Amino acid sequence: RPQRPRNEIKAAGSVAVAAGCRSIAAASTVCINYQSLNWNNIKHKTQSNSEEARNNMQMPQSITILRSVLSIQSTLSSFHPLLIEGHTRDTRDPAIVATQIISNLRQSWKERNVTKPPILITQGDPLTEKGISAITRHVATELGVKRCLICLDEDIDPEHSMLADRHDVLYELKYSLLVDILNNGNAVMADVENAIDEKIALKNEKRLS
């Protein structure tokens, strides 16, 4: 089975989570713009980051594992889903990025009269000093919200679950269950993947122009 690029899998997972929450249009989705990044000076993960992620995974807390489509839909429908799309290669100060996201979210929630408690959907990125995992930590802490963790199935990435940041995670589920939600609804996974491919191509073209 060929492995799709990680950003495509993540984006598809985000859409599926929103479907599980029965409210794609009502979800708060933040897509962080990386066009200002200097791609020649990207720092990759270090061994210490991986060790910190492993230690974080062992933090004592109560996490409910959602093992069926029904449990995902019935549980997450009680929350307002917050999805933040980003990259591990973002070298900006995560606190500064998070502050801007929080300001925009609070304004948006006020205008839209969001009444359900928000839950931050995270996608298993290992905790790093900078990048999307650090940004989402800051957002969750400042907003005082819990998180729902999506882990890729072992046949896609054996280490994804092992290295995932589980700080303040309330619920955890597998990516394949979210695919089932899409395939059993009005959307088809292949259509979603094609739409993601087109979006990524357009963004890459814009970034390189």
Side-chain angles (χ1 to χ4, degrees):
R1 174 176 174 177
Q3 179 175 338
R4 296 188 64 79
R6 177 65 57 81
N7 54 358
E8 294 182 13
I9 294 174
K10 288 168 135 187
S14 293
V15 174
V17 169
C21 295
R22 301 175 187 173
S23 182
I24 294 177
S28 292
T29 305
V30 179
C31 294
I32 304 173
N33 189 338
Y34 297 104
Q35 293 183 25
S36 61
L37 287 178
N38 182 348
W39 292 91
N40 295 320
N41 295 317
I42 297 299
K43 294 183 178 179
H44 296 281
K45 289 189 304 182
T46 62
Q47 183 63 30
S48 60
N49 288 334
S50 296
E51 291 174 355
E52 184 175 3
R54 289 190 182 94
N55 292 334
N56 180 74
M57 185 183 69
Q58 301 173 357
M59 293 177 62
Q61 55 188 330
S62 177
I63 299 178
T64 299
I65 308 297
L66 303 179
R67 304 183 185 277
S68 69
V69 169
L70 181 60
S71 66
I72 293 173
Q73 292 175 323
S74 62
T75 300
L76 297 186
S77 62
S78 301
F79 295 92
H80 176 77
L82 168 58
L83 303 98
I84 303 177
E85 283 295 332
H87 205 292
T88 57
R89 294 177 178 178
D90 192 336
T91 57
R92 295 173 294 181
D93 185 335
I96 295 177
V97 178
T99 297
Q100 183 61 54
I101 291 173
I102 292 167
S103 176
N104 292 341
L105 282 172
R106 285 175 170 159
Q107 180 64 30
S108 174
W109 290 345
K110 181 179 179 180
E111 293 174 354
R112 296 161 60 191
N113 192 29
V114 173
T115 56
K116 289 184 178 180
I119 188 166
L120 177 58
I121 309 299
T122 58
Q123 301 171 1
D125 297 281
L127 180 63
T128 52
E129 182 180 353
K130 295 182 179 180
I132 188 60
S133 62
I135 292 170
T136 52
R137 265 232 195 179
H138 278 283
V139 172
T141 299
E142 290 300 317
L143 290 175
V145 301
K146 297 295 184 181
R147 307 198 291 178
C148 176
L149 171 66
I150 306 169
C151 286
L152 293 176
D153 298 62
E154 286 73 14
D155 61 328
I156 299 177
D157 187 342
E159 294 187 347
H160 193 248
S161 176
M162 180 181 69
L163 299 178
D165 179 17
R166 286 176 168 79
H167 182 73
D168 275 345
V169 168
L170 191 60
Y171 301 107
E172 182 174 334
L173 54 130
K174 293 291 187 182
Y175 167 77
S176 58
L177 288 173
L178 303 178
V179 175
D180 288 342
I181 290 176
L182 283 181
N183 287 336
N184 292 330
N186 295 325
V188 177
M189 192 60 194
D191 294 334
V192 175
E193 290 180 336
N194 289 335
I196 293 169
D197 288 338
E198 293 175 3
K199 189 69 173 179
I200 290 174
L202 288 173
K203 287 191 173 184
N204 287 338
E205 182 180 351
K206 185 176 181 180
R207 177 171 60 83
L208 296 174
S209 62

